[in-house]
Protein backbone atom coordinates (compact mmCIF):
# COMPACT_ATOMS: atom_id res chain seq x y z
CA UNK A 1 0.00 0.00 0.00
CA UNK A 2 1.10 3.55 -0.72
CA UNK A 3 0.73 4.86 2.87
CA UNK A 4 0.10 3.55 6.40
CA UNK A 5 -3.56 4.62 6.05
CA UNK A 6 -6.51 3.56 3.88
CA UNK A 7 -8.45 6.81 3.41
CA UNK A 8 -9.09 6.50 -0.31
CA UNK A 9 -9.35 3.58 -2.70
CA UNK A 10 -6.59 5.49 -4.55
CA UNK A 11 -4.26 4.57 -1.67
CA UNK A 12 -4.14 1.19 -3.41
CA UNK A 13 -2.50 0.39 -6.71
CA UNK A 14 -3.92 -2.07 -9.21
CA UNK A 15 -1.63 -4.84 -7.90
CA UNK A 16 -2.69 -4.15 -4.27
CA UNK A 17 -6.32 -4.54 -5.31
CA UNK A 18 -5.61 -7.78 -7.17
CA UNK A 19 -3.83 -9.12 -4.08
CA UNK A 20 -6.60 -8.08 -1.69
CA UNK A 21 -9.28 -9.69 -3.83
CA UNK A 22 -7.24 -12.91 -4.07
CA UNK A 23 -6.77 -13.00 -0.29
CA UNK A 24 -10.42 -12.12 0.37
CA UNK A 25 -11.51 -15.08 -1.77
CA UNK A 26 -9.24 -17.40 0.20
CA UNK A 27 -10.34 -15.98 3.55
CA UNK A 28 -13.97 -16.35 2.57
CA UNK A 29 -13.34 -20.07 2.06
CA UNK A 30 -11.21 -20.51 5.18
CA UNK A 31 -13.23 -18.72 7.87
CA UNK A 32 -11.45 -18.32 11.21
CA UNK A 33 -7.71 -17.96 11.94
CA UNK A 34 -5.42 -16.51 14.61
CA UNK A 35 -3.51 -14.13 12.33
CA UNK A 36 -4.31 -11.01 14.40
CA UNK A 37 -4.53 -12.66 17.83
CA UNK A 38 -2.68 -9.87 19.64
CA UNK A 39 -4.22 -6.93 17.78
CA UNK A 40 -6.87 -4.41 18.81
CA UNK A 41 -8.96 -2.30 16.44
CA UNK A 42 -10.85 0.80 17.58
CA UNK A 43 -13.98 1.74 15.63
CA UNK A 44 -14.84 5.43 16.06
CA UNK A 45 -18.06 6.48 14.30
CA UNK A 46 -19.67 9.92 13.89
CA UNK A 47 -22.61 8.40 11.95
CA UNK A 48 -24.79 5.29 12.31
CA UNK A 49 -23.88 1.97 10.70
CA UNK A 50 -25.07 -1.61 10.39
CA UNK A 51 -22.80 -3.29 7.82
CA UNK A 52 -19.56 -1.42 8.41
CA UNK A 53 -19.56 -1.79 12.17
CA UNK A 54 -20.69 -5.40 12.27
CA UNK A 55 -18.51 -6.57 9.38
CA UNK A 56 -15.38 -5.01 10.89
CA UNK A 57 -16.13 -6.40 14.36
CA UNK A 58 -16.77 -9.91 13.09
CA UNK A 59 -13.85 -9.74 10.64
CA UNK A 60 -11.54 -8.90 13.52
CA UNK A 61 -12.95 -11.71 15.67
CA UNK A 62 -12.58 -14.21 12.84
CA UNK A 63 -8.92 -13.19 12.61
CA UNK A 64 -8.45 -13.75 16.35
CA UNK A 65 -8.23 -10.03 17.21
CA UNK A 66 -10.27 -7.66 19.34
CA UNK A 67 -12.51 -4.69 18.59
CA UNK A 68 -13.74 -1.73 20.54
CA UNK A 69 -16.61 0.46 19.28
CA UNK A 70 -16.94 4.14 20.15
CA UNK A 71 -20.32 5.64 19.29
CA UNK A 72 -20.86 9.23 18.07
CA UNK A 73 -21.97 10.40 21.52
CA UNK A 74 -19.02 8.90 23.35
CA UNK A 75 -16.21 10.69 21.55
CA UNK A 76 -17.79 13.84 20.11
CA UNK A 77 -14.73 14.38 17.94
CA UNK A 78 -13.70 18.00 17.71
CA UNK A 79 -16.16 18.98 20.45
CA UNK A 80 -15.23 17.14 23.65
CA UNK A 81 -11.73 16.43 22.37
CA UNK A 82 -9.67 17.72 19.47
CA UNK A 83 -9.17 15.33 16.55
CA UNK A 84 -5.34 15.37 16.90
CA UNK A 85 -5.56 14.58 20.61
CA UNK A 86 -7.97 11.70 20.00
CA UNK A 87 -5.51 10.34 17.43
CA UNK A 88 -2.59 10.62 19.85
CA UNK A 89 -4.51 8.91 22.67
CA UNK A 90 -5.84 6.02 20.58
CA UNK A 91 -2.33 5.44 19.20
CA UNK A 92 -1.24 4.53 22.77
CA UNK A 93 -3.86 1.77 23.11
CA UNK A 94 -4.78 0.28 19.76
CA UNK A 95 -3.17 -1.10 16.61
CA UNK A 96 -5.45 0.68 14.12
CA UNK A 97 -8.43 3.05 13.97
CA UNK A 98 -11.46 2.55 11.74
CA UNK A 99 -13.26 5.91 11.55
CA UNK A 100 -16.57 7.02 10.02
CA UNK A 101 -16.72 10.82 9.82
CA UNK A 102 -18.77 13.58 8.27
CA UNK A 103 -15.83 15.53 6.88
CA UNK A 104 -13.06 13.72 5.00
CA UNK A 105 -10.68 16.30 6.44
CA UNK A 106 -11.33 14.87 9.92
CA UNK A 107 -9.94 11.54 8.69
CA UNK A 108 -6.88 13.24 7.24
CA UNK A 109 -6.20 15.04 10.53
CA UNK A 110 -6.68 11.78 12.43
CA UNK A 111 -4.26 10.01 10.10
CA UNK A 112 -1.69 12.81 10.32
CA UNK A 113 -1.64 12.69 14.11
CA UNK A 114 -1.98 8.93 14.67
CA UNK A 115 1.05 6.68 14.83
CA UNK A 116 -1.20 3.79 13.85
CA UNK A 117 -3.07 3.16 10.57
CA UNK A 118 -6.41 4.90 10.03
CA UNK A 119 -9.04 3.21 7.83
CA UNK A 120 -11.89 5.20 6.23
CA UNK A 121 -15.21 3.63 7.22
CA UNK A 122 -17.06 6.29 5.11
CA UNK A 123 -16.65 10.05 4.89
CA UNK A 124 -18.44 12.70 2.84
CA UNK A 125 -15.86 12.12 0.08
CA UNK A 126 -15.28 8.36 -0.13
CA UNK A 127 -16.30 4.88 0.99
CA UNK A 128 -13.26 2.80 0.00
CA UNK A 129 -14.13 -0.31 2.07
CA UNK A 130 -17.44 -0.52 0.19
CA UNK A 131 -15.61 -0.23 -3.14
CA UNK A 132 -13.25 -3.05 -2.19
CA UNK A 133 -16.18 -5.36 -1.36
CA UNK A 134 -17.90 -4.29 -4.58
CA UNK A 135 -14.87 -5.23 -6.67
CA UNK A 136 -14.80 -8.62 -4.95
CA UNK A 137 -18.51 -9.08 -5.73
CA UNK A 138 -18.09 -8.08 -9.37
CA UNK A 139 -15.09 -10.40 -9.72
CA UNK A 140 -17.05 -13.31 -8.23
CA UNK A 141 -19.87 -12.77 -10.72
CA UNK A 142 -17.95 -11.79 -13.87
CA UNK A 143 -14.65 -13.64 -13.25
CA UNK A 144 -12.74 -10.52 -14.29
CA UNK A 145 -12.76 -6.77 -13.69
CA UNK A 146 -10.97 -5.67 -16.82
CA UNK A 147 -13.32 -4.57 -19.61
CA UNK A 148 -16.44 -4.79 -17.42
CA UNK A 149 -18.84 -1.83 -17.79
CA UNK A 150 -20.38 -0.47 -14.60
CA UNK A 151 -23.25 2.03 -14.84
CA UNK A 152 -23.86 4.08 -11.69
CA UNK A 153 -27.22 5.86 -11.55
CA UNK A 154 -27.84 8.65 -9.04
CA UNK A 155 -25.98 10.96 -6.71
CA UNK A 156 -22.27 11.61 -7.38
CA UNK A 157 -21.55 10.88 -3.72
CA UNK A 158 -18.93 9.14 -1.55
CA UNK A 159 -19.85 5.68 -2.91
CA UNK A 160 -19.72 6.93 -6.52
CA UNK A 161 -16.33 8.57 -5.93
CA UNK A 162 -14.69 5.42 -4.57
CA UNK A 163 -16.28 3.24 -7.27
CA UNK A 164 -15.14 5.56 -10.05
CA UNK A 165 -11.57 5.52 -8.74
CA UNK A 166 -11.67 1.74 -8.19
CA UNK A 167 -12.96 1.12 -11.72
CA UNK A 168 -10.39 3.38 -13.33
CA UNK A 169 -7.59 1.67 -11.39
CA UNK A 170 -8.75 -1.80 -12.45
CA UNK A 171 -9.47 -1.26 -16.16
CA UNK A 172 -13.25 -1.29 -15.72
CA UNK A 173 -15.38 1.10 -17.76
CA UNK A 174 -17.35 3.49 -15.56
CA UNK A 175 -20.48 5.36 -16.67
CA UNK A 176 -22.34 7.66 -14.32
CA UNK A 177 -25.73 9.33 -14.79
CA UNK A 178 -26.45 12.11 -12.29
CA UNK A 179 -28.54 15.31 -12.35
CA UNK A 180 -26.51 18.38 -13.33
CA UNK A 181 -25.84 19.75 -9.84
CA UNK A 182 -25.20 16.33 -8.27
CA UNK A 183 -22.28 15.06 -10.30
CA UNK A 184 -19.00 13.68 -8.98
CA UNK A 185 -16.43 16.17 -7.75
CA UNK A 186 -14.09 17.51 -10.42
CA UNK A 187 -10.91 16.55 -8.53
CA UNK A 188 -12.08 12.90 -8.25
CA UNK A 189 -13.03 12.80 -11.93
CA UNK A 190 -9.59 14.19 -12.84
CA UNK A 191 -7.81 11.56 -10.75
CA UNK A 192 -9.97 8.80 -12.23
CA UNK A 193 -9.18 10.03 -15.74
CA UNK A 194 -5.46 9.90 -14.92
CA UNK A 195 -5.83 6.29 -13.70
CA UNK A 196 -7.96 5.43 -16.73
CA UNK A 197 -5.26 6.62 -19.09
CA UNK A 198 -2.97 3.97 -17.61
CA UNK A 199 -5.47 1.12 -17.19
CA UNK A 200 -7.47 1.33 -20.43
CA UNK A 201 -10.77 2.07 -18.69
CA UNK A 202 -13.25 4.54 -20.17
CA UNK A 203 -15.15 7.07 -18.09
CA UNK A 204 -18.40 8.60 -19.25
CA UNK A 205 -20.53 11.16 -17.38
CA UNK A 206 -24.08 11.96 -18.47
CA UNK A 207 -27.38 13.25 -17.10
CA UNK A 208 -29.29 10.51 -18.94
CA UNK A 209 -29.67 7.17 -17.06
CA UNK A 210 -30.62 5.23 -20.23
CA UNK A 211 -27.37 6.19 -21.96
CA UNK A 212 -25.37 5.00 -18.97
CA UNK A 213 -27.19 1.70 -18.51
CA UNK A 214 -27.43 0.48 -22.12
CA UNK A 215 -25.45 -2.78 -22.45
CA UNK A 216 -23.83 -2.39 -19.01
CA UNK A 217 -22.59 -5.47 -17.11
CA UNK A 218 -23.26 -3.92 -13.71
CA UNK A 219 -25.99 -1.46 -12.71
CA UNK A 220 -25.31 0.30 -9.41
CA UNK A 221 -27.28 2.81 -7.37
CA UNK A 222 -27.19 4.42 -3.92
CA UNK A 223 -29.48 6.64 -1.83
CA UNK A 224 -30.34 10.10 -3.12
CA UNK A 225 -29.70 11.76 0.27
CA UNK A 226 -26.71 10.48 2.20
CA UNK A 227 -26.23 10.59 5.96
CA UNK A 228 -25.94 14.25 6.96
CA UNK A 229 -28.13 15.41 4.03
CA UNK A 230 -31.46 14.45 5.62
CA UNK A 231 -32.72 18.06 5.47
CA UNK A 232 -32.27 18.01 1.66
CA UNK A 233 -34.21 14.76 1.23
CA UNK A 234 -37.47 16.30 -0.10
CA UNK A 235 -35.72 18.55 -2.59
CA UNK A 236 -33.44 15.73 -3.73
CA UNK A 237 -36.45 13.47 -4.15
CA UNK A 238 -37.82 15.90 -6.75
CA UNK A 239 -34.51 16.36 -8.57
CA UNK A 240 -33.77 12.63 -8.72
CA UNK A 241 -37.18 11.48 -9.95
CA UNK A 242 -36.28 9.80 -13.23
CA UNK A 243 -33.10 8.32 -11.75
CA UNK A 244 -34.83 5.32 -10.17
CA UNK A 245 -33.39 1.91 -11.05
CA UNK A 246 -36.42 -0.17 -12.00
CA UNK A 247 -37.23 -3.10 -14.30
CA UNK A 248 -37.56 -0.83 -17.31
CA UNK A 249 -34.14 0.77 -16.86
CA UNK A 250 -32.51 -2.54 -15.96
CA UNK A 251 -33.88 -4.14 -19.13
CA UNK A 252 -31.53 -1.90 -21.15
CA UNK A 253 -28.47 -3.47 -19.53
CA UNK A 254 -27.00 -6.77 -20.69
CA UNK A 255 -29.22 -9.75 -20.01
CA UNK A 256 -26.70 -11.13 -17.51
CA UNK A 257 -26.19 -7.76 -15.80
CA UNK A 258 -26.01 -7.69 -12.03
CA UNK A 259 -27.70 -5.08 -9.85
CA UNK A 260 -25.73 -3.56 -6.97
CA UNK A 261 -26.55 -1.33 -3.99
CA UNK A 262 -24.36 -0.69 -0.91
CA UNK A 263 -27.44 -0.64 1.40
CA UNK A 264 -29.28 0.69 3.30
CA UNK A 265 -31.81 1.08 0.45
CA UNK A 266 -34.81 3.37 0.22
CA UNK A 267 -37.26 1.09 -1.56
CA UNK A 268 -39.43 2.99 -4.02
CA UNK A 269 -36.91 5.84 -4.30
CA UNK A 270 -33.52 5.15 -5.92
CA UNK A 271 -34.51 1.49 -6.30
CA UNK A 272 -37.95 0.20 -7.26
CA UNK A 273 -39.89 -1.87 -4.70
CA UNK A 274 -38.84 -5.56 -4.67
CA UNK A 275 -36.09 -5.22 -7.27
CA UNK A 276 -33.42 -5.82 -4.63
CA UNK A 277 -34.82 -9.35 -4.23
CA UNK A 278 -34.70 -10.15 -7.96
CA UNK A 279 -32.29 -12.83 -9.26
CA UNK A 280 -30.11 -10.07 -10.79
CA UNK A 281 -29.51 -8.40 -7.44
CA UNK A 282 -26.25 -9.10 -5.58
CA UNK A 283 -26.83 -6.45 -2.90
CA UNK A 284 -26.77 -8.93 -0.02
CA UNK A 285 -23.64 -10.62 -1.41
CA UNK A 286 -22.04 -7.17 -1.39
CA UNK A 287 -23.01 -6.79 2.27
CA UNK A 288 -21.47 -10.20 3.11
CA UNK A 289 -18.36 -9.39 1.10
CA UNK A 290 -17.71 -6.32 3.24
CA UNK A 291 -16.49 -8.74 5.90
CA UNK A 292 -14.30 -10.86 3.61
CA UNK A 293 -12.73 -7.87 1.85
CA UNK A 294 -12.03 -6.17 5.18
CA UNK A 295 -10.44 -9.35 6.55
CA UNK A 296 -7.99 -9.22 3.66
CA UNK A 297 -7.42 -5.51 4.28
CA UNK A 298 -6.85 -5.99 8.03
CA UNK A 299 -4.53 -8.93 7.37
CA UNK A 300 -2.42 -6.75 5.12
CA UNK A 301 -2.45 -3.64 7.34
CA UNK A 302 -2.07 -5.36 10.71
CA UNK A 303 -0.70 -8.78 9.86
CA UNK A 304 1.78 -7.93 7.14
CA UNK A 305 0.15 -10.50 4.87
CA UNK A 306 1.57 -9.45 1.52
CA UNK A 307 2.03 -12.77 -0.18
CA UNK A 308 -1.13 -13.82 -2.00
CA UNK A 309 -2.61 -16.95 -0.50
CA UNK A 310 -3.47 -17.97 -4.02
CA UNK A 311 -3.33 -16.36 -7.42
CA UNK A 312 -6.25 -14.96 -9.34
CA UNK A 313 -6.63 -16.45 -12.81
N1 LIG B 1 -22.97 0.06 3.19
C1 LIG B 1 -22.70 0.55 4.41
O1 LIG B 1 -21.63 1.14 4.63
O2 LIG B 1 -23.63 0.31 5.35
P1 LIG B 1 -23.67 0.90 6.83
O3 LIG B 1 -23.88 2.37 6.71
O4 LIG B 1 -24.80 0.20 7.51
O5 LIG B 1 -22.35 0.61 7.50
N1 LIG C 1 -24.01 7.42 0.38
C1 LIG C 1 -24.50 6.79 1.58
C2 LIG C 1 -23.84 5.47 1.75
C3 LIG C 1 -24.25 4.68 2.96
C4 LIG C 1 -23.55 3.38 3.06
C5 LIG C 1 -24.26 7.67 2.78
O1 LIG C 1 -23.19 8.31 2.85
O2 LIG C 1 -25.13 7.77 3.64
Amino acid sequence: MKSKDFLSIADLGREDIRLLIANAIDMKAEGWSSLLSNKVLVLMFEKPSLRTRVSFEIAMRQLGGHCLYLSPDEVRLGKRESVPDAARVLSRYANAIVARTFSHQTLEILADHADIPVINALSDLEHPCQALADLLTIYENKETLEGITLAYIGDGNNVAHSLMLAASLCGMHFRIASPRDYQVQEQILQLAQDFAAGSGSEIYCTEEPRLAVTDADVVYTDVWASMGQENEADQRHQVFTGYQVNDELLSLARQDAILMHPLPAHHGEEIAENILYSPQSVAFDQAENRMHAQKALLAEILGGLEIPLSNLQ
Side-chain angles (χ1 to χ4, degrees):
M1 287 178 60
K2 294 178 195 162
S3 80
K4 78 171 171 58
D5 307 298
F6 183 53
L7 304 188
S8 164
I9 195 78
D11 290 333
L12 301 176
R14 189 176 191 166
E15 186 57 21
D16 297 317
I17 292 175
R18 195 194 66 79
L19 189 75
L20 286 168
I21 292 177
N23 286 346
I25 289 170
D26 286 352
M27 289 177 155
K28 189 168 179 172
E30 277 169 13
W32 295 66
S33 79
S34 53
L35 188 70
L36 302 183
S37 62
N38 50 356
K39 306 289 184 189
V40 177
L41 192 65
V42 167
L43 306 180
M44 185 164 56
F45 281 32
E46 290 188 326
K47 299 174 182 175
S49 170
L50 175 65
R51 279 146 292 276
T52 307
R53 177 184 174 181
V54 175
S55 60
F56 263 111
E57 289 210 15
I58 296 183
M60 202 58 188
R61 279 180 211 189
Q62 288 199 2
L63 292 169
H66 306 274
C67 250
L68 205 142
Y69 171 74
L70 299 172
S71 68
D73 283 347
E74 274 166 295
V75 182
R76 294 197 283 132
L77 264 184
K79 298 185 188 82
R80 182 171 184 269
E81 181 131 20
S82 78
V83 178
D85 282 357
R88 291 183 185 106
V89 170
L90 291 176
S91 298
R92 302 293 180 102
Y93 300 131
N95 299 101
I97 302 168
V98 173
R100 170 167 285 196
T101 59
F102 284 98
S103 158
H104 191 75
Q105 208 195 357
T106 303
L107 284 179
E108 291 174 338
I109 298 170
L110 261 182
D112 280 349
H113 293 85
D115 299 326
I116 55 178
V118 175
I119 297 172
N120 180 357
L122 180 149
S123 68
D124 57 357
L125 190 67
E126 277 207 52
H127 197 0
C129 294
Q130 182 68 51
L132 210 50
D134 295 341
L135 292 178
L136 170 59
T137 310
I138 295 167
Y139 184 84
E140 284 178 335
N141 282 274
K142 301 292 173 190
E143 295 175 353
T144 184
L145 297 176
E146 212 161 309
I148 293 293
T149 298
L150 186 152
Y152 179 100
I153 309 301
D155 190 22
N157 61 16
N158 44 11
V159 169
H161 286 158
S162 290
L163 267 180
M164 176 182 257
L165 293 172
S168 61
L169 277 165
C170 294
M172 283 169 61
H173 307 310
F174 186 84
R175 302 185 197 150
I176 180 163
S178 314
R180 197 179 57 229
D181 295 331
Y182 297 87
Q183 301 194 346
V184 288
Q185 289 185 17
E186 193 53 41
Q187 101 233 23
I188 299 280
L189 178 58
Q190 193 59 58
L191 186 57
Q193 279 165 340
D194 290 348
F195 291 147
S199 72
S201 81
E202 290 164 14
I203 296 176
Y204 173 65
C205 303
T206 176
E207 291 178 38
E208 175 46 68
R210 298 167 76 91
L211 289 181
V213 163
T214 299
D215 293 331
D217 300 290
V218 180
V219 179
Y220 199 116
T221 190
D222 185 21
V223 292
W224 293 336
S226 287
M227 289 179 277
Q229 298 172 333
E230 288 80 4
N231 59 352
E232 297 173 31
D234 290 346
Q235 180 217 343
R236 282 172 171 264
H237 196 279
Q238 286 177 12
V239 174
F240 281 91
T241 305
Y243 286 82
Q244 184 186 75
V245 174
N246 50 31
D247 285 329
E248 193 198 335
L249 191 65
L250 203 51
S251 71
L252 299 175
R254 283 176 56 105
Q255 236 181 346
D256 62 353
I258 54 172
L259 170 65
M260 300 183 76
H261 193 304
L263 303 176
H266 293 164
H267 301 263
E269 292 186 20
E270 77 278 357
I271 190 118
E273 298 283 356
N274 293 325
I275 197 171
L276 267 188
Y277 317 119
S278 73
Q280 277 174 285
S281 167
V282 296
F284 297 96
D285 299 326
Q286 282 173 265
E288 176 185 340
N289 281 339
R290 291 292 305 275
M291 183 174 73
H292 306 302
Q294 287 156 200
K295 279 173 76 175
L297 181 73
L298 291 169
E300 168 149 353
I301 289 179
L302 292 175
L305 186 61
E306 283 170 5
I307 302 158
L309 299 174
S310 69
N311 288 312
L312 287 182
Q313 296 306 308

